[in-house]
Amino acid sequence: MKLYKNATAALAGAVVGLGMTVSAIGATWDMPTPYPDKTFHTVNIAAFADEVAKATNGKLEIKIHSAGSLFKHPEIKNAVRGGQVPIGEFFMSLTENDWPIFGADSQPFLATTFDEAQKLWEAQKPVVTELLDKAGMVPLFSVTWPPQGLYTKKAINTVDDLKGIKFRTYNATLELFANKLGAAPTQVEVPDIPQAFATGRVEAMITSPSTGVNSKAWDFVTHYTDIKAWLPKNIVVVNKRAFRALDEETRQAVLAAAAAAEARGWEMSKKETEEQTKVLAENGIVVVTPSAELMDGLKAIGASMLESWQKTAGSEGAAVLQAFQAK
Ligand code: PCA
């Protein structure tokens, strides 16, 4: 049960399912997110929540529960879908087993620059919106992570150097990639990365400079190879019924704050790329430009994976790829 902000609200208040409190004064939305507070995505969402509160004069408050503290990351999508919480954030490609289109941004070497990532998002957006709509959700905004690089305990010159290594993964596509490399994949959520390395469950990972810095990667790896493999995104979605329950003015305020958050988030991500790569180097990690041989090997695997993804993603996948390539 919630604590009301004041007695008036308590008298007029009603709890409308877990995670949403409504009163004469306004509503409070509980928002689960998967990543720790210092993550730039979480910082951006905090700014979004502030903006919504200001624009609505406190009529809609969004209370962030970061780092999987309210719902574990893999449960967030269904928590929003089922109305247990009105709003939430998740890693888009985590849902790719249900919705292959959500995994387009994690296909190795399909979109490897911010510009391409933006075009891919524009191509995905109509299909993503439709799929979410059918599931009773509305997308609010999506922000990319910086390009994904390779963290290891030794120099990696060819794909063969990755054989047999215990590899931290975060979605089905990365798991497949690791398997194709001959590495041994294990799924680990971001808050658990340091411990997974410390206990030897994993020895290498592919992730952004941001997540490398947030997890203090210098404590457990020595090399960062800047392979710019893909730019995966997070998405913030809202439950359709909860959204419709807002008055028109509040809805418009949420949409305006969401548009601002998307633009701001992409800029933050660009800035992070350079700044956080520098922080890795400052803390003693050897930042490496990948060899042509390594990149050829990785890209060959990526090409075969894209082929099988196209089969799984069917006509929707073809439409997204076509729209992406047309841009
Ligand atoms: N950090 C998140 C997703 C992609 C990224 O850069 C992670 O490592 O799980």
Side-chain angles (χ1 to χ4, degrees):
M1 207 40 81
K2 310 245 142 274
L3 287 178
Y4 291 100
K5 264 187 247 140
N6 58 42
T8 323
L11 283 174
V15 176
V16 187
L18 176 66
M20 176 154 47
T21 315
V22 188
S23 72
I25 292 179
T28 300
W29 278 5
D30 283 312
M31 176 173 189
T33 74
Y35 303 104
D37 287 337
K38 274 197 285 178
T39 313
F40 76 92
H41 287 280
T42 318
V43 172
N44 188 38
I45 287 172
F48 162 74
D50 278 350
E51 245 177 73
V52 169
K54 273 197 200 106
T56 63
N57 285 320
K59 237 164 88 179
L60 180 60
E61 304 265 2
I62 295 171
K63 187 169 185 304
I64 300 162
H65 302 266
S66 59
S69 56
L70 185 61
F71 283 96
K72 297 264 164 252
H73 191 183
E75 297 163 1
I76 294 178
K77 182 192 78 176
N78 283 340
V80 179
R81 182 182 196 156
Q84 285 149 292
V85 283
I87 187 170
E89 179 200 37
F90 58 87
F91 190 51
M92 259 178 80
S93 53
L94 193 65
T95 66
E96 65 189 340
N97 285 338
D98 296 335
W99 295 326
I101 295 305
F102 280 57
D105 63 14
S106 291
Q107 294 308 306
F109 306 105
L110 175 61
T112 59
T113 64
F114 281 95
D115 195 40
E116 287 169 0
Q118 188 80 57
K119 288 178 176 148
L120 182 58
W121 173 221
E122 281 161 24
Q124 279 175 297
K125 209 183 287 183
V127 185
V128 163
T129 304
E130 200 185 310
L131 288 168
L132 285 171
D133 181 66
K134 280 188 196 145
M137 291 179 277
V138 180
L140 285 184
F141 60 94
S142 176
V143 173
T144 188
W145 289 89
Q148 305 288 291
L150 176 62
Y151 293 78
T152 53
K153 291 172 184 278
K154 60 175 188 186
I156 302 295
N157 298 310
T158 76
V159 283
D160 289 338
D161 294 336
L162 290 162
K163 283 213 163 73
I165 287 184
K166 288 186 264 174
F167 213 91
R168 180 257 164 173
T169 60
Y170 53 54
N171 66 19
T173 296
L174 183 49
E175 189 179 328
L176 182 62
F177 195 57
N179 274 324
K180 287 191 179 249
L181 287 166
T186 302
Q187 179 92 10
V188 178
E189 286 299 330
V190 166
D192 305 326
I193 289 176
Q195 205 196 343
F197 275 93
T199 56
R201 270 180 73 213
V202 298
E203 310 164 294
M205 62 180 173
I206 288 180
T207 186
S208 58
S210 307
T211 297
V213 168
N214 290 158
S215 348
K216 297 196 164 54
W218 46 88
D219 287 346
F220 44 80
V221 298
T222 53
H223 288 70
Y224 176 72
T225 309
D226 192 8
I227 57 173
K228 300 189 195 344
W230 56 87
L231 285 83
K233 294 185 292 294
N234 292 353
I235 190 163
V236 171
V237 300
V238 65
N239 176 284
K240 217 200 286 186
R241 266 189 309 138
F243 198 49
R244 284 196 184 141
L246 301 174
D247 61 52
E248 177 63 17
E249 209 183 328
T250 307
R251 250 193 325 260
Q252 289 309 324
V254 171
L255 290 176
E262 179 156 312
R264 183 176 58 234
W266 281 71
E267 285 312 309
M268 289 169 95
S269 189
K270 285 177 198 165
K271 236 176 111 202
E272 285 265 317
T273 305
E274 208 179 302
E275 282 178 9
Q276 304 292 48
T277 305
K278 231 190 257 165
V279 175
L280 292 175
E282 280 162 15
N283 282 281
I285 289 189
V286 187
V287 176
V288 187
T289 304
S291 71
E293 205 182 340
L294 174 62
M295 287 307 283
D296 287 349
L298 293 175
K299 282 183 180 169
I301 294 174
S304 77
M305 285 175 58
L306 186 60
E307 238 174 76
S308 26
W309 179 80
Q310 280 175 275
K311 286 186 194 125
T312 322
S315 56
E316 275 173 353
V320 168
L321 280 189
Q322 210 173 34
F324 171 58
Q325 273 142 9
K327 284 176 196 278

